[in-house]
Amino acid sequence: MNVFRIKKESGTYAELLETYGFSNLLYNISTSLNEDADIVITDMDLYYEVSIDIDITNYVLNKLNYFPLFRYVKSEKSDPNIVNNVDAYDYLYYKEQKAHKKEAIDKIRKELTGKDKLAIRKSRMMEIEAKYPIDGVFDVYSQIVTPNNIVSFNKLYSNFNSNKVLFKEIINQILKYYASEAYDAGPFNKLIKQEGCNFDEKVTATQLYNPHQGQGVNKPKADGLNRTNFKSSWISETMKISGALTDMICQLIKVGNGFDLKIFVPAYKQVNYAFKYLLIHDFKKHLKGNTPVKIDILNILSLVQIILQHNEYAGKRRKVKDVVCGFHSVYQKDMGQNKAVVNASLIQVPSYIEIGCKEDNERWIEVIEEQKQIISSMEENKGAIQGLLMYRKFLGASDANSFFAFAYWFAGYAFNRISKKQYIKLFSIESLNKLYYSMYHDLKLMEIIQNEGFQAVAKAIRNSTVSLQYAQKENRKFEVRYGVPQLLQTKSKSVEDLAAYIGEFIALYNAETARNYEKGGNGKRSMVREDELNKFYTLLDLYPPYLIGALLASYGFALPKKDIPISERDANSEDDENF
């Protein structure tokens, strides 16, 4: 046996956890046999396939020694009879360490404020990270130890721990279960019913691993109320626990006085087991708490960034989406004693990002890092939800129009934030160039962006808005032009309106610049020449006005990297506690 299948049935991450758990089992088998096996997981549309390059025969199974399929957990609700006899994960210890870490971080934030103390703060934060390193399974164990989940966990762990003499037979049954469509549990059922065998094959589906089968959500047709849970296979549920501990991400979201829960499970098209392990390990090291929509965006961007950083596929040009589809995501609402699933979705990675040579990958990594900083600077609960939804749609659906809508919205949002002296991270012109160069080649965006007239008009907008806002009032030589983002979007509905608006805007801009020269101005601001304006107008004959307006909103409210000021928020950006 070396090829196995896990059928897709729920449309959620349930079967993915099962697949990852089974691949963990194959890895443990190969390790137990001192074999350096290659394990590959492939999404075959109707099912997941797990293959291993060694043939697992009865002869191989007879050489197996006992190993736990997942590590037991020590908590208030755990079975003391098990804890005292196994190498258990000490959840209580790590919970205490997490509290100490938070206390240390809060102390640094209080004592070392201001940009002038940034270097000292970063040094102290590195010391804390070294003292309290991120634990890659704490987030999942913190959900397993809840009263609703620990009972099932104890039962399934005990099936193996209490029946070590049957270990080879149990493993054989699991392998047959996934290797054959005609799985027959009859002989095994007779075996576990023998006197002295303490094996419980009756388990119910736990909502943590089966978001479609929570209590009361267990009927294909809603023809009545039912608070009982689905019965499930002990094999499936065991694999799901194992898969959750290696590949599930649980993040708490502060809502009022309580915490909701967001769960993410990466969905790969095809991945090598060792590479998958490295990806999830690195991903968890950079997790931060956040609000519901921002957390979706930041996790997808981080996932793509980490794949590019590992360079596993460097030189083999392919789409990132051919490696990983995205994240299965589930939102669980805190209802007091229990959590209820209120949303389940697949958040896809962008289709336009390609893995290429080292230089291409580094370009994308830089672009993604800036995008993460921009999204992090937006406050979802204070008016940014509309823009974040546009950006999430742009990522998940690779929808150019959603990004252009976001560009219009962000210009107004950023302009408003800066005018109120509130923090916002702006796009850099260099990063926008890289982004637009790499995406949507069929739109020929670079032909617009490299047009001399477009660049002159965008610079004029920039000089009249964000550049002035960052200057001290007493040093401003020109008036800040408010309302430009809104007018750009309104006037970009037709060629005539956009041409008239830009013509009027540039006329006022040039007149104001000329008056400054007459008063002995320093001459740092140049006027838009007539030939540049004419070159801009030629674009309106070739491209939709909405597209040109969106690009003007992008570049008109961006700054060169060297001109983007470092704020107190930038100085503290690395101080946020990893979750």
Side-chain angles (χ1 to χ4, degrees):
M1 294 182 288
N2 60 1
V3 178
F4 307 88
R5 294 181 177 182
I6 294 88
K7 292 180 182 178
K8 292 184 182 181
E9 295 177 334
S10 70
T12 69
Y13 60 61
E15 290 82 21
L16 261 178
L17 292 182
E18 191 173 351
T19 301
Y20 297 149
F22 181 69
S23 67
N24 292 339
L25 174 63
L26 293 182
Y27 173 77
N28 287 331
I29 290 174
S30 64
T31 302
S32 177
L33 299 171
N34 294 318
E35 294 277 0
D36 186 18
D38 186 36
I39 302 168
V40 177
I41 300 166
T42 307
D43 184 343
M44 304 295 285
D45 294 329
L46 296 178
Y47 58 89
Y48 298 108
E49 181 180 279
V50 183
S51 62
I52 184 169
D53 61 353
I54 59 173
D55 192 19
I56 305 177
T57 62
N58 289 332
Y59 173 75
V60 169
L61 289 175
N62 284 331
K63 295 195 293 182
L64 278 184
N65 294 314
Y66 173 80
F67 56 81
L69 271 67
F70 45 83
R71 201 174 178 194
Y72 197 66
V73 60
K74 178 183 178 181
S75 72
E76 295 96 335
K77 302 293 183 181
S78 300
D79 186 340
N81 295 322
I82 299 178
V83 169
N84 295 332
N85 293 289
V86 299
D87 175 28
Y89 176 84
D90 195 342
Y91 171 75
L92 299 176
Y93 167 79
Y94 286 106
K95 183 179 179 181
E96 186 178 279
Q97 292 293 94
K98 184 176 173 67
H100 290 326
K101 180 179 179 180
K102 184 179 185 305
E103 184 180 342
I105 290 174
D106 290 344
K107 185 177 180 181
I108 289 176
R109 286 174 173 166
K110 186 177 180 180
E111 294 178 354
L112 300 172
T113 60
K115 288 179 283 185
D116 57 322
K117 297 179 180 177
L118 175 59
I120 301 174
R121 185 163 55 248
K122 284 188 174 182
S123 176
R124 291 282 299 278
M125 289 299 297
M126 289 175 65
E127 292 174 7
I128 290 176
E129 289 295 336
K131 185 176 181 181
Y132 305 105
I134 297 301
D135 185 86
V137 291
F138 179 85
D139 60 322
V140 182
Y141 272 122
S142 65
Q143 301 306 314
I144 286 175
V145 298
T146 61
N148 287 342
N149 298 324
I150 194 65
V151 174
S152 176
F153 179 90
N154 285 341
K155 180 190 295 186
L156 292 169
Y157 186 89
S158 296
N159 276 349
F160 292 82
N161 188 62
S162 301
N163 297 283
K164 294 179 182 178
V165 294
L166 295 176
F167 181 69
K168 294 171 185 176
E169 286 80 358
I170 293 173
I171 298 301
N172 191 30
Q173 284 301 309
I174 295 174
L175 294 173
K176 287 181 177 178
Y177 181 82
Y178 293 110
S180 172
E181 299 244 347
Y183 169 69
D184 180 14
F188 184 71
N189 290 337
K190 290 180 181 178
L191 183 65
I192 63 176
K193 289 176 183 177
Q194 294 178 1
E195 186 176 349
C197 183
N198 185 26
F199 193 99
D200 192 345
E201 57 184 322
K202 296 178 181 178
V203 295
T204 57
T206 304
Q207 184 174 270
L208 180 63
Y209 323 114
N210 305 277
H212 61 300
Q213 292 182 341
Q215 193 176 74
V217 190
N218 54 11
K219 287 190 174 185
K221 182 178 180 181
D223 58 356
L225 296 175
N226 189 343
R227 289 184 56 81
T228 60
N229 289 325
F230 263 133
K231 296 292 187 293
S232 185
S233 160
W234 66 267
I235 297 178
S236 296
E237 296 307 303
T238 302
M239 295 302 106
K240 288 169 187 173
I241 291 175
S242 174
L245 286 168
T246 54
D247 291 89
M248 178 185 276
I249 301 136
C250 298
Q251 291 176 273
L252 296 180
I253 297 173
K254 178 73 171 174
V255 179
N257 295 324
F259 288 92
D260 293 343
L261 177 66
K262 266 243 169 175
I263 300 172
F264 297 91
V265 178
Y268 304 97
K269 288 295 291 182
Q270 186 174 69
V271 67
N272 176 274
Y273 181 87
F275 183 56
K276 176 183 73 69
Y277 174 81
L278 291 175
L279 286 180
I280 201 71
H281 182 264
D282 279 4
F283 182 85
K284 284 200 173 186
K285 287 196 299 187
H286 300 94
L287 286 181
K288 299 179 186 294
N290 230 305
T291 45
V293 181
K294 282 174 69 172
I295 213 169
D296 290 346
I297 296 170
L298 293 173
N299 281 357
I300 281 292
L301 290 174
S302 294
L303 180 65
V304 174
Q305 188 178 35
I306 289 169
I307 287 175
L308 292 168
Q309 286 171 339
H310 274 281
N311 285 319
E312 175 78 3
Y313 302 95
K316 307 171 187 175
R317 187 166 294 279
R318 60 191 302 184
K319 300 280 189 181
V320 172
K321 71 171 186 177
D322 294 332
V323 178
V324 60
C325 304
F327 275 119
H328 276 283
S329 171
V330 167
Y331 190 102
Q332 291 192 3
K333 186 72 179 172
D334 184 14
M335 307 298 288
Q337 292 184 343
N338 298 304
K339 287 183 170 66
V341 173
V342 294
N343 179 267
S345 61
L346 174 64
I347 309 167
Q348 299 185 69
V349 301
S351 63
Y352 53 82
I353 299 181
E354 267 193 352
I355 302 168
C357 64
K358 184 178 179 181
E359 291 73 21
D360 290 339
N361 293 347
E362 288 176 349
R363 181 176 69 246
W364 270 119
I365 288 167
E366 186 177 352
V367 169
I368 290 169
E369 183 57 37
E370 182 176 281
Q371 305 263 317
K372 285 168 61 179
Q373 293 175 12
I374 290 167
I375 295 300
S376 294
S377 73
M378 296 162 59
E379 297 189 21
E380 182 172 335
N381 298 326
K382 295 184 180 179
I385 183 66
Q386 180 184 3
L388 289 168
L389 289 172
M390 293 174 189
Y391 191 92
R392 186 172 67 176
K393 183 179 179 183
F394 155 65
L395 278 185
S398 299
D399 177 32
N401 287 327
S402 292
F403 187 80
F404 298 141
F406 173 80
Y408 281 120
W409 176 89
F410 185 77
Y413 177 77
F415 198 47
N416 183 54
R417 298 275 296 184
I418 298 169
S419 66
K420 294 178 179 179
K421 306 298 181 184
Q422 296 173 341
Y423 173 76
I424 185 68
K425 179 75 173 180
L426 292 179
F427 283 94
S428 69
I429 293 172
E430 295 87 343
S431 179
L432 280 176
N433 287 339
K434 293 173 183 176
L435 176 65
Y436 284 131
Y437 174 79
S438 302
M439 63 187 275
Y440 307 122
H441 294 291
D442 57 319
L443 293 177
K444 300 179 179 179
L445 300 179
M446 295 310 295
E447 292 183 12
I448 301 173
I449 294 164
Q450 292 173 349
N451 179 281
E452 188 178 355
F454 174 86
Q455 292 179 358
V457 171
K459 185 177 181 180
I461 293 173
R462 189 180 314 125
N463 288 340
S464 302
T465 54
V466 292
S467 292
L468 285 176
Q469 282 182 309
Y470 278 122
Q472 296 294 329
K473 282 189 176 181
E474 58 270 19
N475 296 329
R476 292 177 186 169
K477 305 297 183 183
F478 307 96
E479 290 294 321
V480 178
R481 300 280 292 276
Y482 294 96
V484 174
Q486 294 78 9
L487 284 169
L488 258 183
Q489 186 168 12
T490 302
K491 300 299 183 180
S492 294
K493 293 178 180 178
S494 72
V495 172
E496 294 77 13
D497 286 349
L498 182 58
Y501 172 68
I502 294 300
E504 180 184 349
F505 180 91
I506 296 302
L508 291 172
Y509 175 83
N510 283 344
E512 189 180 34
T513 306
R515 283 195 298 272
N516 181 59
Y517 287 157
E518 291 173 1
K519 294 178 181 179
N522 56 23
K524 286 185 178 180
R525 180 167 127 168
S526 59
M527 292 192 289
V528 178
R529 303 190 311 269
E530 184 176 352
D531 66 304
E532 290 175 327
L533 190 58
N534 288 334
K535 288 177 181 178
F536 173 81
Y537 284 142
T538 61
L539 295 175
L540 296 177
D541 296 328
L542 302 172
Y543 302 97
Y546 182 83
L547 172 59
I548 295 174
L551 292 175
L552 283 176
S554 294
Y555 282 91
F557 292 86
L559 289 174
K561 269 187 179 177
K562 63 182 179 62
D563 294 339
I564 297 178
I566 297 177
S567 71
E568 175 69 13
R569 180 75 169 272
D570 287 317
N572 281 316
S573 63
E574 295 188 12
D575 292 354
D576 293 330
E577 180 189 4
N578 291 325
F579 183 75

